[in-house]
Amino acid sequence: MRLRFSMDEITLKAHAKINLGLDVLGEREDGYHEVRMVMQSLSLCDVLLIKKTNDREIKIQTNLASLPLDGDNLVYQAAKLLMDEFGIGCGVEVSLEKMIPVAAGMAGGSSDAAATLRGMNELFSLGLSKEGLMERGLKLGADIPYCVMGGTALAEGIGEKLTALPPMVKCPVLVVKPGVSVSTKSVYQNLNLDNVTHPDIDAIISCIENKNLGGICAHIGNVLESVTIPQHPVIAQIKELMVKSGAKAALMSGSGPSVFGIFEDESLARNTKEKILDGGLAREVYVTSIYNNM
């Protein structure tokens, strides 16, 4: 989402994502896994300010000291990709305000890269379509094409085959990132597809189409929980507390460790936030909502 634009700078939002359904169908010959997922944007977002500069450098500044500011940062990679392809003769300075939890299974870095691609496209009048940006984003990461699209979508393949879905019912969402680290690669390597309950992705899609929040909540699921939760039981504790406190459903997002709870009442979500903080289950807790690019 674009906030502000002039000839020399642009401000954009980069929205977090959750997986309402995440199923893994099997491992591919290239080592990646075939997935089928229902992706959803949240109002929780990072904010990027991209400015043209007179030199040819890419400079990044951010509010998180732990983030790399060089070629290891997806924002840098996204800017460089377009600068190289289109022979852009000046540089950019990117100010990145991080609000999405880092390494949380919420595509924060991918969303920042997608926003950078959109911002560079507008700032330098490159004329790329959304599909063109998605195609280039895939070179940097499987989640980036979805982050360019945003909203509610079915993702297949390794996540790059996208089908837009009708907007999800808007409702409060509580996001919690416990203080544990998860390796996505390790989670997929340890996934045993013979011993998991597969979510009914088609049922989730049908309930989204029918604006049936209760049905969506009844069918959400994530096969990767079978690996991550045994390694980090705090995830199950957070899910249980959310449901006991009034969430209609709670689920781990991506490979974890973040957990989201779907609520009908924002006051219940806020009360649950305080319980989680008071109980010491996590320090990063956010009350947000479904975001549908509208």
Side-chain angles (χ1 to χ4, degrees), residues 218-258:
H219 288 101
I220 65 171
N222 181 348
V223 297
L224 300 184
E225 287 189 338
S226 65
V227 180
T228 308
I229 287 180
Q231 295 175 351
H232 303 289
V234 67
I235 294 170
Q237 292 177 266
I238 293 168
K239 287 180 62 179
E240 182 180 3
L241 178 56
M242 283 185 175
V243 173
K244 283 184 176 179
S245 301
K248 292 181 69 66
L251 192 70
M252 185 181 80
S253 186
S255 56
S258 289

Side-chain angles (χ1 to χ4, degrees), residues 17-24 35-41 105 143 146 150-156 159 161-168 199-209 216 219-222 251-254 260 262 290 292:
K17 70 85 185 166
I18 53 175
N19 302 94
L20 298 172
L22 194 164
D23 197 11
V24 179
V35 297
R36 198 158 185 256
M37 307 181 291
V38 178
M39 314 278 270
Q40 177 60 54
S41 300
D143 276 345
Y146 164 72
T152 312
L154 171 66
E156 298 174 288
K161 297 177 183 175
L162 297 166
T163 304
L165 298 174
M168 161 85 173
D200 190 338
I201 300 296
D202 290 329
I204 297 171
I205 293 171
S206 177
C207 291
I208 288 172
E209 291 172 342
I216 295 167
H219 288 101
I220 65 171
N222 181 348
L251 192 70
M252 185 181 80
S253 186
F260 67 90
I262 297 175
I290 296 295
N292 286 314

